[in-house]
């Protein structure tokens, strides 16, 4: 079985994530290809798409949100993701058990004795008037009936798990600050969520395996689960296994992939890329060593924005008063610092709508 080293896996990841060469895909197609984008920080997907698409215009993503073709919703790993309307309708029922389990993992004591089906029905009744609500407003509407758990536990269970919700615009629109207002997913999209599959079948799980490998492969089953948080996927992997090819990494783990997916030459040049907070190019794996050193693994979980140099996390970045500041995590060559500065200037111009191209490459922290 062919062994893929970390550099080969890195270049495959960059290609799948549209980070090796900026793509000409329409924004909707890019969001679908990526299997959604982590989006708990509302402005971060704009940077993620700018780094991946040629000529990306923020208005294109804002338009998809207002046109209800993409939505912001709790999905993979119980985090807020930006996903296409088609995908969320197809995938949401498969995530129900995971979402409930993850909220209970945080609030099991507070929610002890609460009939979750009864709570869900009561929450839907409140939302049936068509009025968007914040999580706390929905929880307060039910607090008299369930006073013990407290509004945070009630609200999290209702909004992140029991009732499929979307976060309505203007939250998530370009350069817009807005609080979270929730509405039921089906009413917002005017379409019902696909029902769960019959017992013993898992077509959504099988589709997720294919979609994950298209955007993240080659990868191990543990990586797939780290991306979506779902259980029961080994059966889905087994069901599609004959469609796949297998490799091993340097640790001996089996990696699966789609046979015709790109696996570029490991020596392919990788341009500097600025990634947003919580980008799935890093978080979408259990073993992240293909793109980030173990010493820096905590940066992505903490929400640091990072810079890829030669395909790997080599700096963090921030922006203040129109100036993008990149802070290397290790020593960079003069050529690499020049490339970081050039891409940083382009990012500063993008973030400021052309008003600034100021960039500063700080001294290394390493």
């Amino acid at each position: 079985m062919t062994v893929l080293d970390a550099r080969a896996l890195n270049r495959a990841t960059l290609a799948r994530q549209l980070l090796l060469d900026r793509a000409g895909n329409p924004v909707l197609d890019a969001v679908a290809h990526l299997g959604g984008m982590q989006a708990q920080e509302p402005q971060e997907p704009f940077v993620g798409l700018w780094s991946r698409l040629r000529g990306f215009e923020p208005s294109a993503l804002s338009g998809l949100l207002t046109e209800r073709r993409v939505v912001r919703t709790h999905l993979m790993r119980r985090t807020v993701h930006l996903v296409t309307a088609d995908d969320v309708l197809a995938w949401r029922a498969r995530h129900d058990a995971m979402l409930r389990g993850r909220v209970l993992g945080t609030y099991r004591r507070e929610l002890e004795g609460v009939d979750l089906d009864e709570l869900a029905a009561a929450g839907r009744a409140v939302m049936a008037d068509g009025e968007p609500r914040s999580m706390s407003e929905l929880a307060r509407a039910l607090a008299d009936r369930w006073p013990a758990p407290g509004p945070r536990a009630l609200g999290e269970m209702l909004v992140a798990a029991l009732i499929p919700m979307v976060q309505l615009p203007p939250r998530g629109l370009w350069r817009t600050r807005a609080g979270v207002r929730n509405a039921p997913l089906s009413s917002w999209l005017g379409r019902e969520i696909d029902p769960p599959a019959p017992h013993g079948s898992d077509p959504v799980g099988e589709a997720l395996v294919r979609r994950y490998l298209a955007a993240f492969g080659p990868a191990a089953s543990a990586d797939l689960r780290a991306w979506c948080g779902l259980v029961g996927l080994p059966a889905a992997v087994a069901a599609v296994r004959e469609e796949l090819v297998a490799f091993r990494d340097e640790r001996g783990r089996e990696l699966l992939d789609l046979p015709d997916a790109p696996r570029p030459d490991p020596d392919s040049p990788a341009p500097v890329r600025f990634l947003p907070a919580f980008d799935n190019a890093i978080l979408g794996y259990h073993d992240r060593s293909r793109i980030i050193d173990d010493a820096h693994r905590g940066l992505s979980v903490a929400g640091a924005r990072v810079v890829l140099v030669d395909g790997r996390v080599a700096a963090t970045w921030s922006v203040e008063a129109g100036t993008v500041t990149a802070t290397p995590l290790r020593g960079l060559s003069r050529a690499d610092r020049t490339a970081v500065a050039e891409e940083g200037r382009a990012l500063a111009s993008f973030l400021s709508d052309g008003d600034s191209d100021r960039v500063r490459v700080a001294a290394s922290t390493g």
Side-chain angles (χ1 to χ4, degrees):
M1 190 179 293
T2 302
V3 174
L4 300 177
D5 64 18
R7 190 173 177 90
L9 292 175
N10 174 267
R11 292 312 194 252
T13 293
L14 297 179
R16 310 294 173 88
Q17 286 288 307
L18 313 181
L19 293 167
L20 196 59
D21 296 296
R22 279 187 168 94
N25 302 22
V27 173
L28 184 68
D29 292 351
V31 174
H33 167 76
L34 295 167
M37 303 181 72
Q38 191 113 349
Q40 62 263 52
E41 297 294 335
Q43 295 297 296
E44 299 303 294
F46 290 94
V47 175
L49 289 168
W50 174 83
S51 288
R52 289 170 163 92
L53 300 180
R54 294 192 297 272
F56 170 68
E57 292 290 343
S59 59
L61 179 56
S62 291
L64 291 173
L65 281 161
T66 57
E67 293 162 10
R68 313 187 188 197
R69 300 175 70 191
V70 301
V71 298
R72 296 170 46 81
T73 186
H74 288 89
L75 201 62
M76 281 75 81
R77 306 185 302 278
R78 193 173 71 91
T79 54
V80 177
H81 272 69
L82 182 78
V83 291
T84 69
D86 288 343
D87 282 345
V88 73
L89 292 170
W91 296 352
R92 182 53 170 80
R94 181 64 174 83
H95 287 71
D96 280 351
M98 178 273 292
L99 294 170
R100 288 191 183 204
R102 293 213 168 192
V103 177
L104 283 175
T106 302
Y107 299 108
R108 190 173 301 278
R109 180 179 58 81
E110 291 88 339
L111 293 166
E112 185 176 0
V114 174
D115 185 315
L116 296 183
D117 291 337
E118 185 179 344
L119 177 62
R124 290 191 193 96
V126 172
M127 298 301 297
D129 63 5
E131 289 296 318
R133 287 176 172 82
S134 68
M135 185 177 73
S136 60
E137 288 170 342
L138 178 56
R140 285 197 301 269
L142 299 172
D144 289 345
R145 190 167 172 184
W146 286 280
R152 184 71 187 184
L154 278 183
E156 287 274 359
M157 180 54 80
L158 285 162
V159 170
L162 296 182
I163 306 174
M165 294 277 205
V166 295
Q167 296 184 357
L168 301 186
R171 188 167 181 83
L173 301 184
W174 176 238
R175 302 183 74 178
T176 300
R177 293 181 178 272
V180 177
R181 307 290 289 174
N182 301 288
L185 176 63
S186 294
S187 64
W188 177 248
L189 295 180
R191 298 154 60 191
E192 292 300 319
I193 294 167
D194 292 355
H199 182 69
S201 67
D202 190 8
V204 174
E206 295 168 21
L208 286 171
V209 172
R210 299 184 187 98
R211 294 283 295 276
Y212 175 75
L213 293 176
F216 294 88
S221 295
D223 297 318
L224 168 64
R225 181 170 179 178
W227 168 67
C228 63
L230 296 175
V231 298
L233 288 174
V237 172
V240 302
R241 190 179 182 87
E242 290 188 359
E243 305 173 17
L244 308 177
V245 292
F247 304 93
R248 292 206 182 275
D249 65 12
E250 294 173 297
R251 294 167 45 194
R253 297 191 316 158
E254 182 182 57
L255 307 177
L256 299 175
D257 204 5
L258 302 174
D260 297 326
R263 289 179 288 276
D265 187 314
D267 292 328
S268 300
V272 168
R273 293 287 185 255
F274 282 68
L275 297 187
F278 306 111
D279 196 283
N280 273 345
I282 301 173
L283 293 186
Y285 298 95
H286 177 260
D287 180 2
R288 299 171 186 164
S289 61
R290 67 178 68 193
I291 196 167
I292 188 170
D293 294 344
D294 286 343
H296 302 139
R297 181 183 174 105
L299 291 173
S300 57
V301 179
R305 297 157 159 175
V306 299
V307 185
L308 303 183
V309 177
D310 193 27
R312 300 188 61 81
V313 172
T316 60
W317 68 274
S318 60
V319 60
E320 185 175 356
T323 299
V324 168
T325 298
T327 304
L329 298 167
R330 56 175 171 80
L332 297 180
S333 69
R334 180 176 296 179
D336 285 341
R337 290 177 69 89
T338 297
V340 169
E342 182 179 353
E343 186 74 356
R345 277 192 288 273
L347 176 61
S349 180
F350 169 74
L351 292 173
S352 67
D353 290 340
D355 289 341
S356 169
D357 64 355
R358 295 189 299 274
V359 65
R360 183 172 75 92
V361 182
S364 168
T365 62

